[in-house]
Amino acid sequence: MVYCGKPSKGCGECRSRKIRCDQAKPACSQCTRAKRDCPGYRDQLSLMFRDESKSVVRKVTAASTLKNKRAERLPRTAVPEGNPVRSELGTPVVDPGFDFNSDPQHIYLMRQFEGFPLEIHPSQELETAKYEAVCYFMRSNALPGSFWTSEIMSNFLLQSGGPASQRAMQASVVATATAMLSRVRHLPSLRDVAHREYGSALRLLNVALGDIEEAKTNQTLGAVIMLAVYEVITSRATKDIESWINHINGATALLDIRGTDQLKTNAGLRLFLHLRYQIIISCLQRDARVPESLLECTKLVTFLQPAEAHGNCLTMILAKLSNLRADIRTNMYENEGEIISAASAIEADLIAWLAALPPEFNYTTHIKSPFDFTFQKRFRGISSYDDQYHVYPSQWVCTSWNQYRSARIIVSDIILSHVRRISDSSSVTSLSEEFRLHCRTLRLTIHRLAVEICRSVPFHLNVHQTQKDPNLPPPESYLGGLVILWHLFIAGVVENPRHGLRRWVVKCLESIGHTMGIDQALAVADIVASDPGSLNCVTEEED
């Protein structure tokens, strides 16, 4: 039964003539004076509530038929019956070909989410916005291999109430989702909602951390990860990046107390793999040592998933690089030669990793057609760098390549900078011709890798995507924007501030910040714009 509002009480003749009816009995005065037969009055109760069941069924059937016809025209990945799809990380995930917004589990999940009523009324605009924000966030991040697929997130969000860790996870999701949507759609009111939910999540986290068993749960770790994402979205000033680092440090501490038991479940493994990358990036940024607990868990993952050896091997190399930077900062080496030797060993590890890559890591380079007038629009208002861009088999492969490129740039910069110190403190002739040639090669390598990072950006932002691909996030996803920030920073600080590559990177970061609602991209753009450039600091003698 559906409430249809208050109907008119006038007789049929008065209603048809649109005149006032005095509702006299047995006939209204207007009909009596005009000597017309009064048709009488309607049953008010039957008009106020009508049975719309048949109409609803008819509409749903028609919509379902139309949707099925559209689905038949869309490409869909074939999935063997009864077998889960295997992600790049080697863990089973839900069928990536499903329509996330129409999935019954997803609809039920969203309706059960605490604070969101089953029926949304016009007077509940704020609740509607929160509901929409969470649905948008879930759909934007429904990517195989991500810890926030519906399979994993349903375990976190399906139950309302529950322990503090459960409620902290829910509040952190709402905070992150509303913060993102407020920036994308320029809704200041949602920023206040996000801030309140963020505070609520922090209070609930403190309660959860007071109980050692609660602190070990996936919900507690997931809430910390979500709050770290919140900081990436909302940190506009460069000093605010520290807030993201603080959350990553907190998550690192949780990894220590969780131990290797966290790898026994699918959700725990996904959480670890997602957090592992964030921790290493944080350590590289701060010149800090990578926690031993992370390395031990990575070794176990390598044993449990031998098919993913390339990704785990690269992680261990990145950890060695971060530890080298930490040791340099704390003056653990006696002379420049030892530093150059250690950096050269890591460079050799990276080259060996590259040489051992299987064919599925191959990517293609494309030249943008001069007649592709929609490319710049798809690329959020900026043009591709040097009119070339890459296409990779998956987002995970693209990210792995950029991790390698960024690491090669950093280790090459370490070698060049310490060679410069030797040059400044001794005669130039002390450097052999072979080593000076190697330095020139390093500079060319740094520039080439920075260009390759720039060419990978359109793929991260799905510019090339012309059809639905289950291995990629949807076009409105901001996952690519989050992942590419660190690599754009590394590429951007290679050249001097007046170089075309530097200007392109700054513009790209600003575009990500404004169109994706990721404020930290704007902070990184400011840092890149003011950096002197690593290649610009190398002396001419090294050439």
Side-chain angles (χ1 to χ4, degrees), residues 508-520:
C508 186
L509 287 167
E510 290 174 345
S511 177
I512 291 174
H514 291 304
T515 63
M516 289 185 155
I518 304 175
D519 284 1
Q520 194 172 105

Side-chain angles (χ1 to χ4, degrees), residues 68-144:
N68 290 336
K69 290 181 179 179
R70 291 175 177 174
E72 291 175 358
R73 295 195 296 267
L74 291 175
R76 183 179 177 91
T77 303
V79 181
E81 185 176 354
N83 291 326
V85 177
R86 191 172 184 276
S87 74
E88 298 89 353
L89 298 176
T91 54
V93 298
V94 293
D95 176 4
F98 79 117
D99 186 345
F100 193 70
N101 280 336
S102 63
D103 178 55
Q105 183 187 32
H106 172 234
I107 295 173
Y108 179 65
L109 164 64
M110 291 294 96
R111 288 179 175 177
Q112 291 294 322
F113 194 85
E114 183 179 20
F116 297 146
L118 289 176
E119 295 182 7
I120 304 299
H121 302 286
S123 61
Q124 299 173 306
E125 294 180 0
L126 189 58
E127 291 300 314
T128 303
K130 290 167 62 176
Y131 173 89
E132 182 182 3
V134 173
C135 290
Y136 179 74
F137 175 84
M138 294 282 286
R139 181 178 185 275
S140 298
N141 295 283
L143 179 66

Side-chain angles (χ1 to χ4, degrees), residues 130-181:
K130 290 167 62 176
Y131 173 89
E132 182 182 3
V134 173
C135 290
Y136 179 74
F137 175 84
M138 294 282 286
R139 181 178 185 275
S140 298
N141 295 283
L143 179 66
S146 170
F147 86 90
W148 41 50
T149 57
S150 65
E151 177 193 14
I152 300 302
M153 292 296 280
S154 61
N155 295 328
F156 294 146
L157 303 180
L158 191 58
Q159 299 177 355
S160 61
S165 58
Q166 177 75 29
R167 288 176 285 143
M169 182 65 190
Q170 293 172 348
S172 65
V173 170
V174 176
T176 303
T178 50
M180 176 194 68
L181 202 61

Side-chain angles (χ1 to χ4, degrees), residues 280-288 318 321-322 325 410 486:
I280 289 182
I281 296 301
S282 172
C283 290
L284 285 169
Q285 288 180 353
R286 297 178 291 116
D287 295 341
L318 292 175
L321 176 58
S322 185
R325 284 162 61 96
I410 293 172
W486 166 249

Side-chain angles (χ1 to χ4, degrees), residues 56-67:
V56 171
V57 171
R58 185 169 57 252
K59 291 178 181 179
V60 170
T61 302
S64 178
T65 302
L66 178 60
K67 183 174 182 179

Side-chain angles (χ1 to χ4, degrees), residues 174-219:
V174 176
T176 303
T178 50
M180 176 194 68
L181 202 61
S182 71
R183 281 152 177 79
V184 171
R185 298 189 180 176
H186 308 290
L187 300 174
S189 60
L190 279 185
R191 296 190 181 189
D192 297 333
V193 174
H195 185 72
R196 289 196 299 270
E197 294 289 343
Y198 177 82
S200 177
L202 285 179
R203 289 191 295 271
L204 291 167
L205 263 179
N206 286 331
V207 175
L209 293 173
D211 184 330
I212 187 64
E213 294 304 318
E214 277 290 292
K216 292 181 179 180
T217 62
N218 290 335
Q219 288 88 340

Side-chain angles (χ1 to χ4, degrees), residues 272-537:
F272 170 74
L273 293 174
H274 177 84
L275 184 58
R276 180 178 70 177
Y277 173 73
Q278 299 294 324
I279 291 175
I280 289 182
I281 296 301
S282 172
C283 290
L284 285 169
Q285 288 180 353
R286 297 178 291 116
D287 295 341
R289 295 189 66 84
V290 175
E292 283 298 323
S293 58
L294 185 144
L295 301 180
E296 290 300 320
C297 286
T298 297
K299 292 176 183 177
L300 181 57
V301 171
T302 303
F303 174 77
L304 294 174
Q305 297 181 319
E308 308 303 329
H310 297 286
N312 293 318
C313 178
L314 182 58
T315 296
M316 299 300 286
I317 297 174
L318 292 175
K320 290 172 62 176
L321 176 58
S322 185
N323 291 345
L324 171 62
R325 284 162 61 96
D327 290 343
I328 293 174
R329 180 178 59 84
T330 55
N331 299 317
M332 294 293 292
Y333 291 95
E334 294 183 0
N335 54 61
E336 307 298 335
E338 289 185 357
I339 296 175
I340 294 173
S341 177
S344 298
I346 295 176
E347 180 191 32
D349 288 342
L350 288 168
I351 294 174
W353 179 87
L354 180 66
L357 284 182
E360 52 265 31
F361 272 74
N362 294 343
Y363 64 90
T364 56
T365 301
H366 300 254
I367 299 177
K368 185 183 76 68
S369 169
F371 303 104
D372 187 356
F373 302 111
T374 64
F375 188 95
Q376 189 166 343
K377 181 179 179 181
R378 301 198 312 273
F379 200 15
R380 304 181 185 274
I382 62 177
S383 58
S384 61
Y385 183 73
D386 70 3
D387 288 334
Q388 297 188 49
Y389 63 96
H390 295 163
V391 173
Y392 298 82
S394 68
Q395 277 276 6
W396 181 75
V397 169
C398 181
T399 299
S400 296
W401 270 103
N402 281 335
Q403 288 175 354
Y404 157 78
R405 291 164 183 149
S406 296
R408 279 291 300 271
I409 290 175
I410 293 172
V411 75
S412 298
D413 181 65
I414 291 174
I415 295 173
L416 289 175
S417 62
H418 288 278
V419 166
R420 183 178 68 248
R421 293 187 183 183
I422 294 177
S423 299
D424 292 342
S425 60
S426 62
S427 171
V428 178
T429 56
S430 63
L431 296 176
S432 67
E433 180 62 28
E434 180 182 1
F435 201 81
R436 283 189 288 169
L437 178 62
H438 180 60
C439 288
R440 283 195 290 269
T441 302
L442 287 178
R443 295 188 66 182
L444 293 174
T445 299
I446 289 175
H447 175 77
R448 174 178 58 80
L449 293 172
V451 170
E452 289 180 358
I453 290 175
C454 293
R455 290 175 180 172
S456 75
V457 177
F459 183 87
H460 271 289
L461 304 184
N462 299 335
V463 173
H464 70 287
Q465 193 172 353
T466 57
Q467 61 182 10
K468 186 175 181 181
D469 187 339
N471 289 322
L472 299 175
E476 67 271 23
S477 171
Y478 62 96
L479 270 177
L482 290 174
V483 172
I484 198 64
L485 290 185
W486 166 249
H487 306 298
L488 276 177
F489 165 76
I490 295 297
V493 298
V494 164
E495 305 289 357
N496 67 72
R498 297 180 301 277
H499 196 280
L501 185 145
R502 169 77 68 93
R503 294 197 301 270
W504 185 90
V505 167
V506 170
K507 185 176 181 180
C508 186
L509 287 167
E510 290 174 345
S511 177
I512 291 174
H514 291 304
T515 63
M516 289 185 155
I518 304 175
D519 284 1
Q520 194 172 105
L522 303 176
V524 176
D526 292 340
I527 298 174
V528 172
S530 59
D531 192 276
S534 60
L535 286 184
N536 197 45
C537 296

